[in-house]
Amino acid sequence: MVYTVSSSEKSRKSAADAETKALLYLMNFHENSDEVHYFVVDFFNDLTGMDRMAGRLWDIQSKGAKNNSPKELGRELVTLYKNFVSYLTFDSYILFVGGVSSTVRIDSTKTIFKIDNIKESSRKKLKEGLIEEARSKTYIDNAEIIEYKIDDFLNQVLFVVDDKEPSDYVKSIIKDHIALIPKNDELTSIFNEIRKIQSDKKNTDPVESISITSIDQSLNYYRHLTSGQIKTLVIGRLINKDPFEKSCPVPFIDIFNSFPPEAKKDALEECKLAYSRALFNKNCAEEFWILFNETYNKIIEYPNKNVEEIFNLLKRSTKQGCPDFDVLSLKYFIATIKEGLQYDN
C-alpha cells in the first residue's frame, strides 16, 4: 500500500505558535507523551508524533483561532479524516485549537474532550463542515465520505483547547524540579527557538506528491525533530552551553589530564555518551531532572568548589537514581553544568 503526501503547506514561511504548542502538548501533556520520540513536521499533517521504531503514530491538526464555530472545527478535521481513511493506522487523531465558541461544549471547563462533550446541535454543524470540506478535496475519494465512517472517525477524535502561554509549554519540559526556572521571557524565548526549528523543517525541500510504502520512510526526508533534541536545546539555554560540544569542559580538565594519554579520547567520548543516554532515557526522566536540579543548586550555592567537591555534596540516592551515569561521566555532567553557569556569569 502507498501513502501519498497531498496537503503539505509548502508555501508557508513560518510555523504558527499553535503548531509549536501542539508539539509541546504532545511531548509533555498527552497520555502517551513518554512514547513519542519523533515529531514529524508537515508531512502526514501539521504535526505527527512517532515512536522510536516508527511503529505508532499520533496525528495532530492545529488551528490558532480563538473562537472556532462548530462548522469551522469540522472543516479543520479534514486532514485528520484523510489519514483516518488511509491505509496507515494512527493511535490518536487530535485537533488542537486556540479556542471554541460558546456553542460547542457541554461542559465548558473541559479543555481536553471527545465528541460526547459537544452539544448535539453543534455536532450536526461540525459534521456538515467536515463533509463539505472533504468533498472539496481531491485527496479524499468521495466513496470514503460515508456516514458510518465519519461517525467512527468523530468518536475517535480528541479535541484540545489551548489554555496555556508559550512559557508554560516550555516550563513543562523541565517539570517542577528545577528550583531556578528561568523567567517567563526567557522561557518564551526558548519557545520561539523551538518554533523556528519547527518552521525550518517546513521550509526544506517540498514533499508534496511524494509516496511512501511504510511510515518509517517519512524520516528519510528529515522533516522531523526528536524529544531529545528539544530537551538538549532547553538544557543548553539553562546552562548557556551546548552540553555535547566537542571540547572538554574546563572544570573537567584536571580529571581529564589524569587519564592515561591512550585512554583520553575514548574516556571523554564515554562520558558524553553516558550524558546522552541519561538525558534521553524516558524511564528515568524524573530522576534525571532531580539530579540536574540538585547539581545546579549545589553549584550556585558553592561556586568556588570544584567538580570533585560538588560530586561529594550530592545525595547518594540522587546519584544512584540515574543508572546511565557512572562516577566519571557524572563528574563530566557536573563539569558541563558548572562551566555553563560560570560562562553565564
Side-chain angles (χ1 to χ4, degrees):
M1 300 291 285
V2 174
Y3 180 95
T4 301
V5 180
S6 53
S7 57
S8 171
E9 297 179 34
K10 57 186 177 182
S11 62
R12 248 176 113 170
K13 296 297 183 185
S14 63
D17 276 9
E19 294 175 355
T20 302
K21 286 181 173 182
L23 186 157
L24 296 175
Y25 158 78
L26 188 57
M27 180 175 172
N28 297 295
F29 296 105
H30 189 268
E31 62 180 0
N32 298 132
S33 291
D34 288 345
E35 298 178 59
V36 181
H37 177 73
Y38 294 106
F39 301 92
V40 184
V41 177
D42 197 29
F43 193 95
F44 302 100
N45 210 330
D46 283 347
L47 182 78
T48 306
M50 185 185 296
D51 72 351
R52 189 176 294 274
M53 286 295 121
R56 300 177 68 188
L57 293 172
W58 294 265
D59 206 30
I60 296 187
Q61 172 67 29
S62 60
K63 180 175 173 60
K66 298 289 187 184
N67 195 37
N68 292 286
S69 70
K71 201 161 189 177
E72 286 169 335
L73 291 177
R75 292 191 183 105
E76 288 300 320
L77 289 170
V78 70
T79 51
L80 292 169
Y81 187 68
K82 173 199 72 174
N83 287 334
F84 176 76
V85 297
S86 74
Y87 87 94
L88 299 180
T89 300
F90 294 78
D91 278 57
S92 191
Y93 302 93
I94 304 165
L95 182 61
F96 185 96
V97 296
V100 295
S101 71
S102 60
T103 62
V104 173
R105 288 174 285 185
I106 295 171
D107 182 350
S108 61
T109 65
K110 291 185 177 179
T111 56
I112 300 175
F113 55 93
K114 301 195 82 170
I115 194 74
D116 59 3
N117 191 47
I118 295 179
K119 297 174 182 177
E120 186 62 37
S121 58
S122 294
R123 290 186 208 179
K124 293 176 182 177
K125 291 291 186 182
L126 185 148
K127 189 186 288 190
E128 284 176 16
L130 172 56
I131 291 172
E132 288 176 10
E133 194 71 8
R135 285 175 176 163
S136 73
K137 301 297 184 184
T138 58
Y139 53 69
I140 298 180
D141 191 325
N142 280 338
E144 300 287 2
I145 309 172
I146 49 182
E147 189 156 351
Y148 82 87
K149 282 194 176 182
I150 288 174
D151 288 340
D152 187 16
F153 165 68
L154 291 176
N155 284 329
Q156 295 185 46
V157 173
L158 186 68
F159 297 87
V160 179
V161 177
D162 172 30
D163 62 346
K164 299 176 180 63
E165 295 297 321
S167 57
D168 295 322
Y169 283 97
V170 176
K171 194 180 295 184
S172 68
I173 298 172
I174 54 181
K175 312 298 181 188
D176 295 321
H177 299 292
I178 307 251
L180 300 175
I181 289 175
K183 296 176 182 178
N184 279 354
D185 58 346
E186 294 177 68
L187 292 168
T188 301
S189 177
I190 295 171
F191 177 92
N192 292 338
E193 284 192 67
I194 298 170
R195 185 182 61 190
K196 183 182 184 305
I197 295 169
Q198 189 174 358
S199 171
D200 289 345
K201 294 297 179 182
K202 294 176 72 114
N203 293 328
T204 58
D205 291 341
V207 293
E208 191 82 11
S209 300
I210 283 174
S211 295
I212 59 173
T213 56
S214 61
I215 60 176
D216 56 281
Q217 291 174 358
S218 64
L219 301 175
N220 297 350
Y221 301 92
Y222 229 77
R223 295 173 75 93
H224 62 269
L225 299 163
T226 68
S227 57
Q229 287 173 318
I230 296 168
K231 288 178 182 177
T232 301
L233 184 153
V234 173
I235 284 186
R237 296 303 169 270
L238 287 173
I239 64 173
N240 198 29
K241 178 183 175 65
D242 179 354
F244 301 120
E245 68 177 21
K246 291 183 179 179
S247 61
C248 177
V250 172
F252 194 69
I253 285 177
D254 285 346
I255 297 171
F256 179 73
N257 285 339
S258 68
F259 298 159
E262 66 275 12
K264 284 184 175 180
K265 182 179 177 181
D266 288 345
L268 190 62
E269 194 62 30
E270 278 298 316
C271 289
K272 291 180 181 180
L273 287 172
Y275 189 167
S276 178
R277 287 193 299 269
L279 177 59
F280 302 155
N281 185 346
K282 292 186 177 182
N283 293 325
C284 297
E286 191 88 355
E287 291 79 4
F288 175 85
W289 289 112
I290 290 171
L291 174 63
F292 186 95
N293 182 42
E294 189 173 330
T295 304
Y296 189 105
N297 289 329
K298 291 298 183 188
I299 293 170
I300 293 292
E301 188 177 357
Y302 303 104
N304 296 322
K305 290 191 179 295
N306 63 29
V307 169
E308 307 273 12
E309 291 170 318
I310 296 294
F311 175 85
N312 289 323
L313 287 173
L314 297 177
K315 295 175 186 173
R316 181 177 176 82
S317 59
T318 302
K319 291 187 282 192
Q320 290 180 327
C322 290
D324 295 293
F325 284 123
D326 58 17
V327 170
L328 290 176
S329 58
L330 181 51
K331 289 179 180 179
Y332 173 86
F333 172 74
I334 294 167
T336 303
I337 297 173
K338 185 172 176 63
E339 181 172 70
L341 292 174
Q342 289 172 338
Y343 199 62
D344 193 34
N345 297 330

